[in-house]
Amino acid sequence: AGGMASQTVELARLMAEDGAKVVVVSATAPCRPRWVEGIPIVRTAIRLVGLCLALWRAAGRAELVHVLASSGLSWHLIAAPAICIARLRGRPVVVHYHGGLADDFLGRSLKTVRGTLRLGSALVVPSAFLLGVFRRYGFDADVVPNVVDLSAFAAAPRAPRDAKTVVVAVTRNLEPVYDIHAAVRAIGHLRARGYDARLEIAGTGSLEGDLRALVREQGLEPYVHFHGHLTKGEIAQLLARTDAMLNPSRADNVPVSVLEAMASARPIVSTRAGGIPYLLADGLTALLVEVGADEAMANAIARLVDEPDLASRLATAAAIEVRRYHWPELRDQWAAIYNAARSGSRVRLMASSDQPGLQ
């Protein structure tokens, strides 16, 4: 579950529909025997061996290897082995880096990451924000935005509500970086001010128990609902039933969840974390607040309730902006990157005279 996983599935589907032969190698295949799943270190070791074997076989049949990568252990245990195996097999590698924590990760692990990245034929990031991060550490990259299925997340009219009533969606995993606690507190602030505010949370993660405890502590159990992991179609249905989307994250890039809310023409309140200001413009396509500012989140949601014309304007502008993230707009960019990688180009270290040139 998560944005990068959904991008993997979506890109594979779209490329296959356009005639490519795509083999997806999953890093989270279940272990055999199943009882091993309960032993973390053993589970990781078995998965790593299984992943390397699957990668070796798949790379042997492929013309090109496309590695979706992120920070931390995911880089060291998944992305780096995939890049190395592809090069051992003599295949060009496109490294497709996601995640809002890249700056911190590169600052801590630059020596290791630099050596592995230089094995790649191309480095691709989904935003000008990440382009700037990588350039600060000496790497250039191509920018290809994340893709969103506009047919699945078509704009839908919002249900009529009583005055002061608002249903808010959060479609992020329940992990510290996404700060779902702030969303719960924001709903508490709104209800204390007399708004009939409700929160619909779609996602799974390690903090579910803590979040449920916070909901009980604040007396919000009738007004906060945990839906767990939802499919793309189920998320589209959830967004269609809500009035606004809240993205409370502490670090971010180009979150697929926000793109889905834009495509659904739902007004968005988000923090300014990481690459969000490159995606959303405050007062034009969303309302932006500072990280961790749950009272500001509540204020912004209240504005959407009290100023329906503002909510409608933001939603309409976001639905227009998100068309840039539709597959027909991105297909040729991926084709050009693949063709360049197959011709033998490599990730180049940025010359000191280069400037970020952010869009």
Side-chain angles (χ1 to χ4, degrees):
M4 194 169 73
S6 69
Q7 279 296 287
T8 305
V9 173
E10 194 69 7
L11 285 171
R13 179 183 70 82
L14 292 165
M15 290 178 182
E17 287 178 358
D18 278 355
K21 295 180 180 179
V22 183
V23 176
V24 177
V25 179
S26 171
T28 56
C31 294
R32 295 289 186 270
R34 294 302 298 268
W35 58 265
V36 172
E37 293 281 351
I39 310 174
I41 296 176
V42 176
R43 176 184 63 209
T44 300
I46 291 176
R47 278 186 175 168
L48 181 58
V49 171
L51 173 63
C52 290
L53 290 173
L55 286 167
W56 184 264
R57 291 191 296 266
R61 304 198 308 271
E63 296 177 68
L64 177 142
V65 177
H66 181 148
V67 179
L68 284 96
S70 61
S71 305
L73 284 176
S74 175
W75 172 269
H76 298 299
L77 296 178
I78 300 172
I83 295 166
C84 293
I85 288 171
R87 295 307 299 172
L88 285 171
R89 290 292 240 170
R91 302 300 187 257
V93 188
V94 173
V95 182
H96 189 188
Y97 199 100
H98 290 250
L101 297 173
D103 197 5
D104 179 65
F105 177 63
L106 291 173
R108 291 183 286 104
S109 306
L110 182 59
K111 289 183 179 179
T112 304
V113 175
R114 179 191 284 122
T116 310
L117 269 181
R118 294 189 69 174
L119 297 174
S121 305
L123 173 62
V124 180
V125 294
S127 70
F129 163 70
L130 274 186
L131 172 63
V133 171
F134 273 93
R135 284 188 164 185
R136 285 198 297 275
Y137 288 96
F139 288 98
D140 205 359
D142 292 300
V143 177
V144 182
N146 284 337
V147 63
V148 63
D149 185 355
L150 296 186
S151 63
F153 292 92
R158 284 181 289 160
R161 309 279 190 204
D162 295 334
K164 300 288 188 179
T165 297
V166 60
V167 180
V168 180
V170 171
T171 55
R172 305 306 298 263
N173 280 335
L174 313 183
E175 300 295 345
V177 69
Y178 299 122
D179 199 9
I180 313 300
H181 290 74
V184 172
R185 289 192 293 269
I187 294 301
H189 294 317
L190 285 166
R191 295 200 65 84
R193 299 177 196 175
Y195 291 88
D196 183 11
R198 303 178 188 186
L199 182 62
E200 306 288 338
I201 301 174
T204 59
S206 62
L207 296 183
E208 182 172 347
D210 290 345
L211 286 163
R212 288 184 180 275
L214 177 63
V215 169
R216 288 193 298 270
E217 176 187 312
Q218 298 211 349
L220 296 174
E221 287 179 283
Y223 315 111
V224 178
H225 301 104
F226 294 86
H227 294 274
H229 174 69
L230 298 182
T231 65
K232 179 171 66 175
E234 289 168 338
I235 290 174
Q237 294 172 11
L238 176 67
L239 289 170
R241 299 194 302 268
T242 58
D243 303 306
M245 188 264 195
L246 174 58
N247 178 48
S249 60
R250 293 186 170 277
D252 233 324
N253 183 32
V254 184
V256 174
S257 59
V258 172
L259 295 178
E260 292 168 348
M262 294 169 72
S264 301
R266 288 300 176 261
I268 298 165
V269 173
S270 175
T271 63
R272 292 186 172 88
I276 292 296
Y278 293 80
L279 172 63
L280 300 171
D282 187 27
L284 296 177
T285 54
L287 297 180
L288 302 185
V289 302
E290 298 305 319
V291 168
D294 46 86
E295 288 198 20
M297 294 175 197
N299 292 340
I301 295 169
R303 280 192 66 190
L304 297 178
V305 177
D306 298 339
E307 302 176 43
D309 289 344
L310 170 65
S312 178
R313 178 167 54 81
L314 293 175
T316 300
I320 294 171
E321 173 66 15
V322 81
R323 294 172 189 169
R324 296 175 50 222
Y325 302 85
H326 192 31
W327 179 242
E329 304 296 322
L330 306 178
R331 178 193 294 112
D332 291 345
Q333 296 179 52
W334 277 118
I337 289 167
Y338 279 10
N339 288 332
R342 291 171 66 190
S343 70
S345 63
R346 293 289 189 91
V347 172
R348 70 174 180 90
L349 287 176
M350 183 184 70
S352 60
S353 59
D354 287 352
Q355 297 297 321
L358 300 182
Q359 300 174 31

